[in-house]
Amino acid sequence: MHNVFYTDKKKIWNDVGIFICIFNIIEVSYSQPKLSGCAQWNSHGITLADETVVGIEPKDIFIDRNNTIYVLDHDNGRIQMWNANSKTPMTIPLDYWLEYKGFFVSLDESIYIGHKDDGTIEKWSRNGTKSAVVMKFDDSCFALFVDINNYLYCSMINKDQVVKQPLDGITNMSIRVAGTGILGDASDMLTFPRGIFVDINLDLYVADYGNNRIQLFKAGQLNGTTVAGVDSTPSIALYNPTAVFLDADGYSFIVDTFNYRIIGSRSNGFFCVVGCSHVIGSASDQLDMPFSAAFDSYGNIYVTDTFNNRIQKFNLLTNISGK
């Protein structure tokens, strides 16, 4: 099923004393499909791109709401981009001498991308034009995310925290939104945080890599709740998760990296989506160090199968009960 647009409904009185409703449409730039409780995926993936296209050890992927696929080919200093109707990528050349890590594509198709070795964030267009350095954090960002209020989030693996800054330039001060800056497993701490996801309620999900869990930090709160991991309810054993992404109903999907699989959640708990043998490999139903993943608007899942040097697509098979 296709993406949904979120609505924020408000009631007000009109000038003749009748309630009317005003709907504010909340748009997001990424694909977040509506899935049923019985959704299933083909356990055998299709290789969308191999090393000749995405280089050695691809890590970061983004799919926008128009089903344009972006992959960061750090090996060759470029972003590879596919139109939904094309198998041939367009190339966005980056500054080859720089190493990049983590990127996000906004509603206006601006590409925000970080330097691997420091906290510099650049802004690029789809035509390959670098317009500016938009901000600089005090450490490199493992992952980036832009929320509906136009704040850019940076997951700092070396400082064990997540911070944000506004893209409108009203301040260049970072705001801490998760983690104390000291590694640990308390509710307000993180250990080597990796992938992040911010929903339309401004709730932050963090792949807390070193603590083998997914932490949820509600908007404005610095104490997190474990929503996946041995201390969650229901519990699930994760091994160094590197990414988390959500469907339209807020169910989480997790790149469980060292278990070589993708995990999903439903109202009745967790289930394995792909890589369910837990066996490392290069067969079509296996993964080797998956790193990030994303939905297209139809509910298909794309995975950066990093040590197999490929992008795997796992097709949604069923999405309606009984079909």
Side-chain angles (χ1 to χ4, degrees), residues 122-187:
E122 296 178 352
K123 179 181 177 181
W124 290 73
S125 68
R126 282 181 52 158
N127 65 12
T129 301
K130 180 172 70 173
S131 61
V133 171
V134 294
M135 65 181 63
K136 184 173 174 60
F137 295 101
D138 61 1
D139 195 18
S140 60
C141 302
F142 182 90
L144 302 177
F145 201 97
V146 178
D147 72 14
I148 60 171
N149 288 339
N150 214 30
Y151 276 79
L152 189 146
Y153 292 64
C154 165
S155 175
M156 292 182 171
I157 188 173
N158 297 319
K159 292 202 169 184
D160 303 298
Q161 61 184 336
V162 180
V163 298
K164 68 179 182 179
Q165 284 188 31
L167 283 168
D168 58 15
I170 58 175
T171 178
N172 60 1
M173 297 293 292
S174 294
I175 302 167
R176 181 170 62 94
V177 291
T180 63
I182 301 173
L183 63 85
D185 61 2
S187 63

Side-chain angles (χ1 to χ4, degrees), residues 276-296:
C276 302
S277 66
H278 295 210
V279 177
I280 190 171
S282 60
S284 63
D285 61 345
Q286 294 177 316
L287 299 168
D288 188 350
M289 300 301 290
F291 201 82
S292 62
F295 286 118
D296 66 18

Side-chain angles (χ1 to χ4, degrees), residues 41-49 61 63 67 69 83-87 262 273-274 284-287 292-305 310-317:
W41 287 262
N42 193 329
S43 62
H44 291 268
I46 300 167
T47 300
L48 175 71
I61 189 169
I63 301 177
N67 292 328
I69 303 161
N83 181 279
N85 299 317
S86 174
K87 293 184 178 181
I262 308 297
V273 179
V274 295
S284 63
D285 61 345
Q286 294 177 316
L287 299 168
S292 62
F295 286 118
D296 66 18
S297 66
Y298 302 102
N300 305 312
I301 296 175
Y302 298 70
V303 181
T304 56
D305 190 11
R310 66 187 183 182
I311 307 300
Q312 291 292 90
K313 176 184 178 183
F314 296 91
N315 286 316
L316 180 66
L317 292 178

Side-chain angles (χ1 to χ4, degrees), residues 47-156:
T47 300
L48 175 71
D50 60 15
E51 179 182 334
T52 63
V53 178
V54 294
I56 297 172
E57 299 182 7
K59 293 182 174 67
D60 297 294
I61 189 169
F62 187 95
I63 301 177
D64 70 20
R65 60 183 185 170
N66 299 315
N67 292 328
T68 302
I69 303 161
Y70 302 77
V71 176
L72 176 57
D73 176 7
H74 66 89
D75 183 45
N76 293 300
R78 62 188 182 180
I79 289 176
Q80 297 286 69
M81 179 177 68
W82 289 265
N83 181 279
N85 299 317
S86 174
K87 293 184 178 181
T88 303
M90 298 170 55
T91 298
I92 303 173
L94 304 173
D95 293 331
Y96 184 78
W97 59 90
L98 292 174
E99 288 193 76
Y100 292 95
K101 180 71 195 77
F103 74 106
F104 190 94
V105 183
S106 62
L107 271 171
D108 65 359
E109 298 183 340
S110 296
I111 303 168
Y112 296 94
I113 184 168
H115 291 187
K116 181 179 179 181
D117 295 325
D118 64 25
T120 299
I121 307 298
E122 296 178 352
K123 179 181 177 181
W124 290 73
S125 68
R126 282 181 52 158
N127 65 12
T129 301
K130 180 172 70 173
S131 61
V133 171
V134 294
M135 65 181 63
K136 184 173 174 60
F137 295 101
D138 61 1
D139 195 18
S140 60
C141 302
F142 182 90
L144 302 177
F145 201 97
V146 178
D147 72 14
I148 60 171
N149 288 339
N150 214 30
Y151 276 79
L152 189 146
Y153 292 64
C154 165
S155 175
M156 292 182 171

